[in-house]
mmCIF file of all heavy atoms in Angstrom:
data_model
loop_
_atom_site.group_PDB
_atom_site.id
_atom_site.type_symbol
_atom_site.label_atom_id
_atom_site.label_comp_id
_atom_site.label_asym_id
_atom_site.label_seq_id
_atom_site.Cartn_x
_atom_site.Cartn_y
_atom_site.Cartn_z
ATOM 1 N N VAL V 1 -10.601 26.093 11.676
ATOM 2 C CA VAL V 1 -10.387 24.948 10.784
ATOM 3 C C VAL V 1 -9.714 25.402 9.493
ATOM 4 O O VAL V 1 -10.198 26.309 8.804
ATOM 5 C CB VAL V 1 -11.715 24.238 10.474
ATOM 6 C CG1 VAL V 1 -11.495 23.124 9.447
ATOM 7 C CG2 VAL V 1 -12.329 23.682 11.753
ATOM 8 N N ARG V 2 -8.598 24.753 9.156
ATOM 9 C CA ARG V 2 -7.860 25.056 7.923
ATOM 10 C C ARG V 2 -7.711 23.755 7.139
ATOM 11 O O ARG V 2 -6.984 22.844 7.555
ATOM 12 C CB ARG V 2 -6.481 25.645 8.236
ATOM 13 C CG ARG V 2 -6.488 26.791 9.242
ATOM 14 C CD ARG V 2 -7.204 28.024 8.722
ATOM 15 N NE ARG V 2 -6.520 28.629 7.619
ATOM 16 C CZ ARG V 2 -5.737 29.710 7.731
ATOM 17 N NH1 ARG V 2 -5.548 30.274 8.924
ATOM 18 N NH2 ARG V 2 -5.156 30.225 6.680
ATOM 19 N N VAL V 3 -8.422 23.662 6.006
ATOM 20 C CA VAL V 3 -8.397 22.473 5.156
ATOM 21 C C VAL V 3 -7.969 22.893 3.763
ATOM 22 O O VAL V 3 -8.452 23.905 3.236
ATOM 23 C CB VAL V 3 -9.781 21.778 5.112
ATOM 24 C CG1 VAL V 3 -9.759 20.594 4.150
ATOM 25 C CG2 VAL V 3 -10.187 21.308 6.505
ATOM 26 N N HIS V 4 -7.071 22.109 3.149
ATOM 27 C CA HIS V 4 -6.540 22.488 1.838
ATOM 28 C C HIS V 4 -6.121 21.238 1.079
ATOM 29 O O HIS V 4 -5.748 20.224 1.673
ATOM 30 C CB HIS V 4 -5.331 23.409 2.010
ATOM 31 C CG HIS V 4 -4.890 24.088 0.756
ATOM 32 N ND1 HIS V 4 -3.967 23.530 -0.107
ATOM 33 C CD2 HIS V 4 -5.240 25.275 0.212
ATOM 34 C CE1 HIS V 4 -3.765 24.354 -1.125
ATOM 35 N NE2 HIS V 4 -4.517 25.418 -0.964
ATOM 36 N N THR V 5 -6.170 21.321 -0.239
ATOM 37 C CA THR V 5 -5.664 20.237 -1.087
ATOM 38 C C THR V 5 -4.221 19.912 -0.712
ATOM 39 O O THR V 5 -3.429 20.808 -0.411
ATOM 40 C CB THR V 5 -5.722 20.664 -2.575
ATOM 41 O OG1 THR V 5 -7.064 21.043 -2.888
ATOM 42 C CG2 THR V 5 -5.302 19.513 -3.474
ATOM 43 N N TYR V 6 -3.920 18.618 -0.744
ATOM 44 C CA TYR V 6 -2.616 18.144 -0.261
ATOM 45 C C TYR V 6 -2.049 17.159 -1.268
ATOM 46 O O TYR V 6 -2.795 16.362 -1.848
ATOM 47 C CB TYR V 6 -2.840 17.441 1.078
ATOM 48 C CG TYR V 6 -1.659 17.277 1.990
ATOM 49 C CD1 TYR V 6 -0.455 17.940 1.801
ATOM 50 C CD2 TYR V 6 -1.776 16.448 3.104
ATOM 51 C CE1 TYR V 6 0.596 17.785 2.688
ATOM 52 C CE2 TYR V 6 -0.731 16.286 4.000
ATOM 53 C CZ TYR V 6 0.448 16.956 3.795
ATOM 54 O OH TYR V 6 1.480 16.795 4.676
ATOM 55 N N LEU V 7 -0.747 17.188 -1.470
ATOM 56 C CA LEU V 7 -0.111 16.222 -2.368
ATOM 57 C C LEU V 7 0.190 14.949 -1.587
ATOM 58 O O LEU V 7 1.324 14.692 -1.172
ATOM 59 C CB LEU V 7 1.165 16.811 -2.974
ATOM 60 C CG LEU V 7 0.981 18.023 -3.881
ATOM 61 C CD1 LEU V 7 2.315 18.451 -4.479
ATOM 62 C CD2 LEU V 7 -0.019 17.739 -4.995
ATOM 63 N N GLY V 8 -0.866 14.165 -1.362
ATOM 64 C CA GLY V 8 -0.695 12.945 -0.584
ATOM 65 C C GLY V 8 -1.740 11.910 -0.949
ATOM 66 O O GLY V 8 -2.846 12.243 -1.384
ATOM 67 N N VAL V 9 -1.400 10.633 -0.769
ATOM 68 C CA VAL V 9 -2.307 9.531 -1.066
ATOM 69 C C VAL V 9 -2.268 8.529 0.082
ATOM 70 O O VAL V 9 -1.204 8.233 0.626
ATOM 71 C CB VAL V 9 -1.928 8.838 -2.400
ATOM 72 C CG1 VAL V 9 -0.528 8.234 -2.357
ATOM 73 C CG2 VAL V 9 -2.953 7.764 -2.777
ATOM 74 N N ALA V 10 -3.447 8.042 0.479
ATOM 75 C CA ALA V 10 -3.549 6.939 1.430
ATOM 76 C C ALA V 10 -3.766 5.661 0.630
ATOM 77 O O ALA V 10 -4.575 5.639 -0.306
ATOM 78 C CB ALA V 10 -4.711 7.161 2.394
ATOM 79 N N TYR V 11 -3.049 4.611 0.990
ATOM 80 C CA TYR V 11 -3.133 3.383 0.208
ATOM 81 C C TYR V 11 -2.874 2.169 1.081
ATOM 82 O O TYR V 11 -2.412 2.283 2.229
ATOM 83 C CB TYR V 11 -2.134 3.420 -0.952
ATOM 84 C CG TYR V 11 -0.674 3.448 -0.561
ATOM 85 C CD1 TYR V 11 0.096 2.285 -0.570
ATOM 86 C CD2 TYR V 11 -0.053 4.642 -0.198
ATOM 87 C CE1 TYR V 11 1.445 2.316 -0.223
ATOM 88 C CE2 TYR V 11 1.294 4.680 0.156
ATOM 89 C CZ TYR V 11 2.037 3.512 0.141
ATOM 90 O OH TYR V 11 3.365 3.537 0.491
ATOM 91 N N LEU V 12 -3.194 1.007 0.548
ATOM 92 C CA LEU V 12 -2.913 -0.265 1.201
ATOM 93 C C LEU V 12 -1.833 -0.976 0.393
ATOM 94 O O LEU V 12 -1.926 -1.045 -0.835
ATOM 95 C CB LEU V 12 -4.175 -1.126 1.279
ATOM 96 C CG LEU V 12 -5.334 -0.498 2.052
ATOM 97 C CD1 LEU V 12 -6.599 -1.335 1.898
ATOM 98 C CD2 LEU V 12 -4.980 -0.338 3.519
ATOM 99 N N ALA V 13 -0.816 -1.459 1.075
ATOM 100 C CA ALA V 13 0.280 -2.169 0.409
ATOM 101 C C ALA V 13 0.175 -3.651 0.743
ATOM 102 O O ALA V 13 -0.028 -4.023 1.898
ATOM 103 C CB ALA V 13 1.624 -1.622 0.869
ATOM 104 N N PHE V 14 0.332 -4.495 -0.281
ATOM 105 C CA PHE V 14 0.273 -5.942 -0.123
ATOM 106 C C PHE V 14 1.701 -6.490 -0.053
ATOM 107 O O PHE V 14 2.501 -6.251 -0.958
ATOM 108 C CB PHE V 14 -0.485 -6.580 -1.292
ATOM 109 C CG PHE V 14 -1.873 -6.023 -1.479
ATOM 110 C CD1 PHE V 14 -2.198 -5.314 -2.633
ATOM 111 C CD2 PHE V 14 -2.839 -6.190 -0.509
ATOM 112 C CE1 PHE V 14 -3.466 -4.789 -2.809
ATOM 113 C CE2 PHE V 14 -4.117 -5.668 -0.677
ATOM 114 C CZ PHE V 14 -4.433 -4.961 -1.825
ATOM 115 N N ASN V 15 2.010 -7.201 1.004
ATOM 116 C CA ASN V 15 3.373 -7.692 1.208
ATOM 117 C C ASN V 15 3.664 -8.851 0.271
ATOM 118 O O ASN V 15 3.201 -9.966 0.464
ATOM 119 C CB ASN V 15 3.574 -8.135 2.659
ATOM 120 C CG ASN V 15 5.036 -8.444 2.967
ATOM 121 O OD1 ASN V 15 5.859 -8.607 2.061
ATOM 122 N ND2 ASN V 15 5.363 -8.534 4.235
ATOM 123 N N ASN V 16 4.458 -8.559 -0.747
ATOM 124 C CA ASN V 16 4.816 -9.565 -1.747
ATOM 125 C C ASN V 16 6.309 -9.862 -1.701
ATOM 126 O O ASN V 16 6.895 -10.280 -2.692
ATOM 127 C CB ASN V 16 4.411 -9.056 -3.142
ATOM 128 C CG ASN V 16 4.386 -10.158 -4.175
ATOM 129 O OD1 ASN V 16 4.158 -11.323 -3.858
ATOM 130 N ND2 ASN V 16 4.635 -9.799 -5.426
ATOM 131 N N ASN V 17 6.926 -9.632 -0.531
ATOM 132 C CA ASN V 17 8.347 -9.923 -0.390
ATOM 133 C C ASN V 17 8.608 -11.399 -0.655
ATOM 134 O O ASN V 17 7.883 -12.267 -0.144
ATOM 135 C CB ASN V 17 8.804 -9.563 1.029
ATOM 136 C CG ASN V 17 10.295 -9.771 1.236
ATOM 137 O OD1 ASN V 17 10.736 -10.887 1.472
ATOM 138 N ND2 ASN V 17 11.050 -8.697 1.151
ATOM 139 N N PRO V 18 9.610 -11.736 -1.469
ATOM 140 C CA PRO V 18 9.851 -13.141 -1.836
ATOM 141 C C PRO V 18 10.108 -14.052 -0.639
ATOM 142 O O PRO V 18 9.812 -15.242 -0.688
ATOM 143 C CB PRO V 18 11.094 -13.060 -2.740
ATOM 144 C CG PRO V 18 11.109 -11.663 -3.256
ATOM 145 C CD PRO V 18 10.522 -10.819 -2.176
ATOM 146 N N LYS V 19 10.667 -13.486 0.455
ATOM 147 C CA LYS V 19 11.003 -14.319 1.611
ATOM 148 C C LYS V 19 9.980 -14.211 2.734
ATOM 149 O O LYS V 19 9.587 -15.220 3.321
ATOM 150 C CB LYS V 19 12.388 -13.935 2.140
ATOM 151 C CG LYS V 19 13.525 -14.224 1.166
ATOM 152 C CD LYS V 19 14.874 -13.839 1.771
ATOM 153 C CE LYS V 19 16.005 -14.149 0.800
ATOM 154 N NZ LYS V 19 17.337 -13.746 1.367
ATOM 155 N N THR V 20 9.564 -12.987 3.052
ATOM 156 C CA THR V 20 8.695 -12.797 4.210
ATOM 157 C C THR V 20 7.270 -12.413 3.838
ATOM 158 O O THR V 20 6.442 -12.194 4.721
ATOM 159 C CB THR V 20 9.270 -11.700 5.125
ATOM 160 O OG1 THR V 20 9.311 -10.455 4.399
ATOM 161 C CG2 THR V 20 10.677 -12.056 5.577
ATOM 162 N N GLY V 21 6.975 -12.306 2.556
ATOM 163 C CA GLY V 21 5.664 -11.864 2.111
ATOM 164 C C GLY V 21 4.577 -12.894 2.355
ATOM 165 O O GLY V 21 4.818 -14.037 2.743
ATOM 166 N N PHE V 22 3.342 -12.480 2.076
ATOM 167 C CA PHE V 22 2.167 -13.321 2.253
ATOM 168 C C PHE V 22 1.906 -14.042 0.936
ATOM 169 O O PHE V 22 1.565 -13.395 -0.065
ATOM 170 C CB PHE V 22 0.982 -12.443 2.648
ATOM 171 C CG PHE V 22 -0.245 -13.191 3.049
ATOM 172 C CD1 PHE V 22 -0.198 -14.206 3.999
ATOM 173 C CD2 PHE V 22 -1.470 -12.871 2.472
ATOM 174 C CE1 PHE V 22 -1.351 -14.893 4.372
ATOM 175 C CE2 PHE V 22 -2.622 -13.535 2.840
ATOM 176 C CZ PHE V 22 -2.569 -14.550 3.787
ATOM 177 N N PRO V 23 2.087 -15.364 0.868
ATOM 178 C CA PRO V 23 2.036 -16.083 -0.416
ATOM 179 C C PRO V 23 0.819 -15.789 -1.291
ATOM 180 O O PRO V 23 0.973 -15.648 -2.518
ATOM 181 C CB PRO V 23 2.099 -17.554 0.014
ATOM 182 C CG PRO V 23 2.882 -17.521 1.285
ATOM 183 C CD PRO V 23 2.450 -16.252 1.980
ATOM 184 N N PRO V 24 -0.408 -15.667 -0.748
ATOM 185 C CA PRO V 24 -1.540 -15.382 -1.643
ATOM 186 C C PRO V 24 -1.383 -14.106 -2.453
ATOM 187 O O PRO V 24 -1.952 -13.980 -3.542
ATOM 188 C CB PRO V 24 -2.730 -15.287 -0.679
ATOM 189 C CG PRO V 24 -2.351 -16.137 0.480
ATOM 190 C CD PRO V 24 -0.867 -15.921 0.640
ATOM 191 N N PHE V 25 -0.594 -13.149 -1.949
ATOM 192 C CA PHE V 25 -0.461 -11.880 -2.658
ATOM 193 C C PHE V 25 0.493 -11.975 -3.842
ATOM 194 O O PHE V 25 0.658 -10.992 -4.576
ATOM 195 C CB PHE V 25 -0.013 -10.776 -1.701
ATOM 196 C CG PHE V 25 -1.036 -10.437 -0.649
ATOM 197 C CD1 PHE V 25 -0.655 -9.889 0.564
ATOM 198 C CD2 PHE V 25 -2.388 -10.671 -0.873
ATOM 199 C CE1 PHE V 25 -1.586 -9.580 1.537
ATOM 200 C CE2 PHE V 25 -3.331 -10.364 0.092
ATOM 201 C CZ PHE V 25 -2.938 -9.829 1.298
ATOM 202 N N ARG V 26 1.089 -13.116 -4.055
ATOM 203 C CA ARG V 26 1.906 -13.290 -5.254
ATOM 204 C C ARG V 26 1.035 -13.509 -6.492
ATOM 205 O O ARG V 26 1.530 -13.491 -7.613
ATOM 206 C CB ARG V 26 2.871 -14.462 -5.051
ATOM 207 C CG ARG V 26 3.919 -14.152 -3.978
ATOM 208 C CD ARG V 26 4.749 -15.333 -3.592
ATOM 209 N NE ARG V 26 5.534 -15.023 -2.380
ATOM 210 C CZ ARG V 26 6.081 -15.911 -1.587
ATOM 211 N NH1 ARG V 26 5.966 -17.202 -1.864
ATOM 212 N NH2 ARG V 26 6.748 -15.543 -0.513
ATOM 213 N N ASP V 27 -0.245 -13.721 -6.267
ATOM 214 C CA ASP V 27 -1.205 -13.897 -7.364
ATOM 215 C C ASP V 27 -1.863 -12.544 -7.641
ATOM 216 O O ASP V 27 -2.561 -11.993 -6.786
ATOM 217 C CB ASP V 27 -2.253 -14.939 -6.964
ATOM 218 C CG ASP V 27 -3.131 -15.369 -8.134
ATOM 219 O OD1 ASP V 27 -3.448 -14.510 -8.988
ATOM 220 O OD2 ASP V 27 -3.508 -16.559 -8.178
ATOM 221 N N ARG V 28 -1.639 -12.017 -8.837
ATOM 222 C CA ARG V 28 -2.181 -10.702 -9.159
ATOM 223 C C ARG V 28 -3.698 -10.671 -9.047
ATOM 224 O O ARG V 28 -4.284 -9.642 -8.699
ATOM 225 C CB ARG V 28 -1.760 -10.287 -10.573
ATOM 226 C CG ARG V 28 -2.239 -8.884 -10.948
ATOM 227 C CD ARG V 28 -1.659 -8.385 -12.236
ATOM 228 N NE ARG V 28 -2.198 -9.075 -13.396
ATOM 229 C CZ ARG V 28 -2.063 -8.639 -14.649
ATOM 230 N NH1 ARG V 28 -1.371 -7.528 -14.886
ATOM 231 N NH2 ARG V 28 -2.558 -9.309 -15.649
#
């Protein structure tokens, strides 16, 4: 097993695209 600090982040992105996005996510 080889485990080490990594320059990486896991995240969730909210689709706020003006045309195809999810309308509720336009509200901060």
Side-chain angles (χ1 to χ4, degrees):
V1 175
R2 311 294 294 260
V3 176
H4 192 271
T5 304
Y6 200 13
L7 296 183
V9 61
Y11 65 99
L12 300 172
F14 304 115
N15 189 345
N16 196 28
N17 183 279
K19 295 181 179 179
T20 62
F22 188 51
F25 294 155
R26 293 171 191 161
D27 191 324
R28 183 171 71 165

